[in-house]
């Protein structure tokens, strides 16, 4: 890979929807706007593309029973995922030179590796994949808490030749300790497993910016050792404080850290760039103004 070829990704969807006045509550989270105000979803995609994002991500993250309920998922999940894909695709085509990442979320709840049910992955993921497939340029399994889930998702993807990116969420521990996923599994083991499975990119998201640099360094070393320097590395952090061990992501809108404005976040992104990341964006609480700073300074 050419490490100089930096791609700026988009930022968080949920908080930006809420900031723009879209209907927003638990448990539906960002899926509610897809149901009741899809035009606002389009506006958020447009804002990120206009800010310089080269990749925008479908608003399909909350389209799982955990958020919209089993009955609604069975009745409307696939239709809503198709709408999410269509909205992102239309914006990408309007903008030109923008790619669409099909978001494949944690199927059983963010941060909750303990809730993972291997036997149900196909049942929940297949409708999302089928609906998103016509609209996306690449697949992004994001906020993965354990190694098994992205491997199971990869096995369900169509043989369409589209890149498969996996983004893991990290334990928000003090920098300096060995980086681990929220399952407790080592980042080194996760990268080894994913590299062997043939993924195209490994990222870290939905965690504190402080823990990402160490994970990137571990990932880079593991990929070098396995001769997989073609695998891209990336990062997109949260802007809210560390969550308690028992927390579930998207429990509510946490207060944003005062030390993560656009230029502050840019400082972290520059460190990730130095650690080998060539895919950099933002997660919860990182908005278009942050992405604009990344696009104008990092590129």
């Amino acid at each position: 890979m050419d490490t100089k070829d930096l791609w700026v990704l988009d930022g968080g969807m949920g908080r930006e929807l809420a900031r723009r006045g879209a209907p927003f509550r638990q448990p539906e989270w960002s899926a509610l706007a897809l149901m009741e105000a899809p035009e606002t979803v389009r506006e958020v995609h447009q804002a990120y593309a206009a800010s310089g994002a080269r990749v925008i991500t479908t608003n399909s993250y909350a389209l799982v029973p955990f958020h919209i309920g089993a009955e609604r998922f069975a009745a409307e999940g696939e239709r809503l995922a198709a709408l999410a894909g269509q909205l992102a695709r239309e914006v990408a085509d309007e903008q030109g030179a923008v790619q669409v990442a099909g978001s494949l979320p944690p199927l059983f709840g963010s941060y909750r590796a303990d809730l993972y049910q291997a036997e149900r992955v196909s049942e929940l993921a297949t409708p999302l994949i089928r609906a998103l497939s016509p609209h996306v340029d690449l697949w992004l399994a994001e906020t993965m808490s354990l190694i098994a889930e992205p491997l199971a998702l990869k096995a369900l993807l169509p043989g369409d030749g589209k890149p498969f990116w996996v983004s893991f969420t990290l334990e928000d521990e003090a920098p300096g300790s060995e980086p681990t996923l929220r399952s407790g599994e080592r980042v080194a083991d996760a990268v080894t497993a994913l590299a062997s499975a043939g993924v195209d990119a490994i990222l870290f998201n939905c965690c504190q910016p402080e823990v990402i640099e160490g994970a990137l360094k571990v990932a880079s070393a593991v990929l070098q050792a396995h001769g997989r320097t073609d695998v891209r590395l990336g990062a997109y952090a949260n802007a809210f404080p560390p969550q308690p061990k028992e927390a579930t992501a998207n429990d509510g809108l946490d207060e944003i850290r005062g030390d993560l404005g656009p230029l502050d976040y840019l400082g972290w992104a520059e460190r990730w760039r130095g650690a080998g990341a060539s895919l950099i964006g933002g997660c919860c609480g990182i908005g278009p103004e942050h992405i604009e700073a990344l696009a104008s300074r990092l590129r």
Side-chain angles (χ1 to χ4, degrees), residues 15 64 88-89 99 101 112 118-119 124-125 163 178 184 218 231 247:
R15 289 163 189 272
V64 290
R89 180 78 265 156
Q99 295 202 35
R112 297 299 303 271
E119 70 280 3
L124 301 184
E178 181 176 17
V218 168
V231 177

Side-chain angles (χ1 to χ4, degrees), residues 199-210:
V199 303
D200 299 279
I202 297 172
L203 305 89
F204 302 102
N205 80 298
C206 211
C207 48
Q208 298 297 290
E210 287 86 349

